[in-house]
Structures are given as C-alpha cells and as structure tokens.
Amino acid sequence: MSLAHTAAEYMLSDALLPDRRGSRLKGLRLELPLDRMVKFTAVGFPLLLMSLAFAQEFSSGSPISCFSPSNFSVRQAAYVDSSCWDSLVHHEQDEAGQYKVKSLWPHKALPYSLLALAVAMYLPVLLWQYAAVPALSSDLLFIISELDKSYNRSIRLVQHMLKIRQKSSDPHIFWDELEKARKERYFEFPLLERYLACKQRSHSLVAIYLLRNSLLLLFTSATYLYLGHFHLGVFFQEEFSCSIKTGLLHDELHVPDLITCRLTSLSVFQIISLSSVAIYSLLVPVIIYNLTRLCQWDKRLLSIYEMLPAFDLLSRKMLGCPINDLNVILLFLRANISELISFSWLSVLCVLKDTTTQKHTIDTVVDFMTLLAGLEPSKPKHLSQQVCDEHP
C-alpha cells in the first residue's frame, strides 16, 4: 500500500463523525431563542411586579392614609383606614350638588391582575409544550440523525471507492463502474429528502406556532385595553373622599360625611403601569419578527446540505410557500446547529469547493472527498483519450 493511499485512508477516517446513539441528543432546544426570551419576559415580568407590589404593601403597612377628625381615637382612625381601603370609593360632588361615586378598585386588584396576566401569558407556552414539542422533538431527532448518517455514508462510500481503486488492476473497469453508478444514482439516499418534502405538505407545527404568537399578541392587546381603560382613570388621583357613614354609624352626628384619604402606594401603581406598557411594547416587535421569519426559507442551511447526495431541495426548486412545517423545522435545526456535527464539516467543504479550480466537476461531498483522497472526480482525460484511440 502506497503512502498516499494510507494518508487518504487516515484523512477519510478522521472525517467520519462519531456515533451518538447513546446520548440521544439530550440537549435539544425545543424553543427558539427569541421565543424563550419572550416567554421569560412576558411571564416573569408580571410576577416580578407582583412581588414588588406585595413587598411594598407588607413593608409600609396600610396602602392608604386617611385624615381622621382630631376627636377620633387611635382605634377609630385605624377603623377609618380599614373601612376606606375596603370600599375604595371616591365621592365627588357634581355641579348639581349631588355626589357621584367613582371606584378605585384597580389599586386593590393590582397584584392579582398581574398574576392573571402572568398566567394568561403562560397559556401559549403550555399550548406549544403539549401540542407541538412531542412531534417536533421526534422530527428533530430523526432529521439530525439522518443528516449526520448521510454524511457518514458519503465518507464510507469514498473509502470503499478508494479500496476498489487500489484492488482494481484495470483502471478502465473502475471508472466505467463508477460512471455507471453515478448514472444509475447509486450514491443517493433519498429517504431524508422525501421525508422533508412530505413536511412541506404538513401544517400542524406551523399552525401551532402561529397560534402561539397570535395569542401572545391578543393577550398583549388585552393588557393595553385593561391599562388604558381602568388604570388611566385613576392614574393621577392621589387623594379621594371616603364615606364611612354606613351601618351603625349612619346616624352618628359626630362622624363627618366625607373623610379625605391619600393613596400612599400611588407611586408604585404608576411605576408598575408604565413599566408594563413599556415592556410589552418592546415585546410586540419581537413577536411580529418571529412571525415574519416564517415567510422566508433559511436557504443558507439548505445550500450547505446540498453537498449531500440526493439533498437538492434548492437546485431542483422543490421549495414552495414557506408557511409549512418544513420551515419551522429548519428554524429549529438552525437553533440546534451545535447538535449537527456534520454542519461544520460541510461548511468547510463548501468553502473549499468555492475556492477549487474544478468547481464544475464537484456536486456532492462524495465528489469533493474523492478529490481529496487522490482520485479524480471523473475519468482522467488520458484514459478517455486512450479509449478513443483503441476504438476509433
């Protein structure tokens, strides 16, 4: 065996990917990075604000401070604070001299509305987790495994071709068999390509993904409506007039009709309202961007895997409308690019292919590795000329 053939075998052996059958790709990312960021922000931020509201309430005591009459005892003043906080109703006199009642309940309901918002924002995550993740994980496991196996099959095929070339005494027989194999498409393994082509006709994953992001936009719009309708009306009202002449105190003459109270937690209420509007306003463009990514193909990923035999979705123009399950799977393949060991190898081969002088004769990784192993990707010219001379 010559030194060149030995070096070629070592090079091809090093190009083989390790078998990962035992690990089963435990580190699969089943959420896109931007989706994960949206999830943690949309769910975690209301919970953070809720903890802030509860902490302020527990640390400062009563969230209101009422100006009770001077003849009230300490217990009577505490009763006024408690009663006004329970009712949380503002009494104001109109032009006709009649009292109008205005409820200030958003102050009292603030922590619980934040909790409801966090639960609502988590519902799309649960939808994705239980409706899409099981099918998506099985698809990714199969596709990543088949992509790496297809690369390994190409390398082993070149190894086999090199051994046959070494054992073949007549180079004409070897090149005739090789050209026949290429003509009959023996080197192609179309299972993965056909599976991906079937995914173009499937729309279950993309429907769930669209529904998830649409629900996020819907709940964000509902948050804007809630803040605008309920919070805006009481946003600047720091003081209110409270009436405690109810029940047994209704006929008491020493009790004033209205007592002025001040909301000590108004600043926290304003900070929470403004920060909620700001954060969810920043999330809306991100959610819309996630939706627009479904309108175009990740052709760079596909072009690199065009180096594999029978993986010519781009060159055969098999890609149609991008809103289907295949495009969703490609987005998650890009997010799990660290699990695709063959991607780095094929990326290097694509760069080398673009710089080689025999670019027109290299279509797949088989052709390129054949060239690197010391074999011509097609029958040498001197052998073709020799055949022509023997058969004029």
Side-chain angles (χ1 to χ4, degrees):
M1 183 182 298
S2 67
L3 186 61
H5 287 156
T6 303
E9 287 186 359
Y10 286 159
M11 183 269 295
L12 292 173
S13 298
D14 291 340
L16 283 172
L17 304 179
D19 187 9
R20 299 189 299 172
R21 230 173 298 175
S23 66
R24 294 296 296 168
L25 303 172
K26 294 180 180 179
L28 273 183
R29 296 179 179 87
L30 299 174
E31 272 189 314
L32 297 176
L34 284 179
D35 289 333
R36 184 183 293 266
M37 184 269 288
V38 169
K39 178 186 73 173
F40 284 126
T41 305
V43 178
F45 189 71
L47 295 178
L48 178 64
L49 295 180
M50 182 185 71
S51 63
L52 174 64
F54 277 125
Q56 190 273 341
E57 182 177 344
F58 292 144
S59 61
S60 62
S62 177
I64 65 172
S65 176
C66 295
F67 302 99
S68 303
S70 57
N71 60 344
F72 274 32
S73 64
V74 175
R75 295 184 63 181
Q76 287 174 326
Y79 170 78
V80 170
D81 288 351
S82 175
S83 177
C84 289
W85 176 249
D86 289 340
S87 62
L88 208 59
V89 173
H90 174 53
H91 297 76
E92 58 182 349
Q93 199 171 21
D94 58 9
E95 296 177 355
Q98 296 182 349
Y99 285 101
K100 293 192 304 182
V101 176
K102 177 182 177 182
S103 177
L104 305 177
W105 68 267
H107 288 277
K108 187 186 297 186
L110 180 62
Y112 310 103
S113 61
L114 290 171
L115 178 61
L117 176 60
V119 172
M121 289 297 181
Y122 194 65
L123 291 178
V125 179
L126 289 178
L127 172 69
W128 178 260
Q129 191 71 28
Y130 288 100
V133 163
L136 177 64
S137 60
S138 61
D139 286 338
L140 289 177
L141 284 172
F142 172 75
I143 292 172
I144 291 175
S145 176
E146 282 301 312
L147 286 173
D148 289 346
K149 285 179 181 178
S150 181
Y151 170 83
N152 271 354
R153 282 194 292 263
S154 301
I155 300 299
R156 291 193 179 99
L157 182 60
V158 178
Q159 287 179 323
H160 184 66
M161 289 167 54
L162 186 62
K163 291 179 182 179
I164 293 178
R165 179 67 184 87
Q166 292 173 2
K167 296 177 182 179
S168 176
S169 57
D170 188 355
H172 295 284
I173 299 177
F174 169 76
W175 288 110
D176 290 341
E177 290 293 329
L178 185 59
E179 289 181 357
K180 179 182 177 182
R182 283 179 174 152
K183 185 178 180 181
E184 299 293 335
R185 306 183 71 171
Y186 292 160
F187 297 163
E188 299 187 0
F189 313 99
L191 173 63
L192 180 60
E193 184 186 87
R194 292 178 181 175
Y195 181 77
L196 295 180
C198 289
K199 284 298 175 180
Q200 284 196 88
R201 299 187 291 272
S202 176
H203 298 86
S204 57
L205 286 177
V206 73
I208 298 173
Y209 189 79
L210 289 172
L211 180 59
R212 171 184 177 168
N213 287 278
S214 300
L215 286 176
L216 286 173
L217 290 176
L218 177 63
F219 293 149
T220 303
S221 301
T223 303
Y224 290 151
L225 291 176
Y226 173 79
L227 292 173
H229 187 268
F230 295 107
H231 282 216
L232 192 59
V234 297
F235 189 79
F236 298 103
Q237 186 160 356
E238 185 176 7
E239 294 184 353
F240 67 99
S241 299
C242 172
S243 174
I244 61 171
K245 296 190 70 172
T246 58
L248 296 176
L249 299 177
H250 186 271
D251 297 326
E252 294 292 333
L253 298 177
H254 69 282
V255 177
D257 293 334
L258 295 175
I259 296 178
T260 302
C261 298
R262 187 173 67 88
L263 291 165
T264 58
S265 60
L266 180 65
S267 58
V268 175
F269 180 83
Q270 292 174 336
I271 291 173
I272 290 177
S273 301
L274 290 176
S275 58
S276 298
V277 172
I279 290 298
Y280 286 104
S281 297
L282 292 175
L283 286 183
V284 168
V286 179
I287 298 172
I288 294 176
Y289 173 73
N290 287 340
L291 291 172
T292 56
R293 285 194 297 176
L294 295 175
C295 299
Q296 59 183 357
W297 294 101
D298 187 359
K299 293 188 177 180
R300 183 175 178 273
L301 180 67
L302 290 174
S303 63
I304 288 177
Y305 277 96
E306 288 270 311
M307 289 284 288
L308 293 179
F311 195 89
D312 46 1
L313 293 173
L314 278 178
S315 59
R316 290 171 59 186
K317 298 181 179 179
M318 296 174 62
L319 300 178
C321 176
I323 304 178
N324 51 52
D325 287 357
L326 177 59
N327 201 10
V328 176
I329 290 174
L330 290 178
L331 290 176
F332 279 90
L333 283 177
R334 171 67 67 180
N336 289 278
I337 206 69
S338 59
E339 301 291 341
L340 275 166
I341 306 179
S342 57
F343 180 80
S344 57
W345 282 90
L346 290 174
S347 299
V348 173
L349 293 181
C350 284
V351 173
L352 296 177
K353 173 189 171 183
D354 294 335
T355 58
T356 185
T357 56
Q358 303 184 26
K359 191 185 302 184
H360 61 282
T361 61
I362 299 175
D363 293 326
T364 65
V365 65
V366 175
D367 299 329
F368 196 87
M369 298 306 290
T370 300
L371 185 63
L372 290 180
L375 297 176
E376 294 286 341
S378 58
K379 183 183 288 189
K381 293 182 179 180
H382 68 277
L383 292 180
S384 302
Q385 184 65 34
Q386 189 176 358
V387 172
C388 294
D389 294 339
E390 294 176 358
H391 302 86

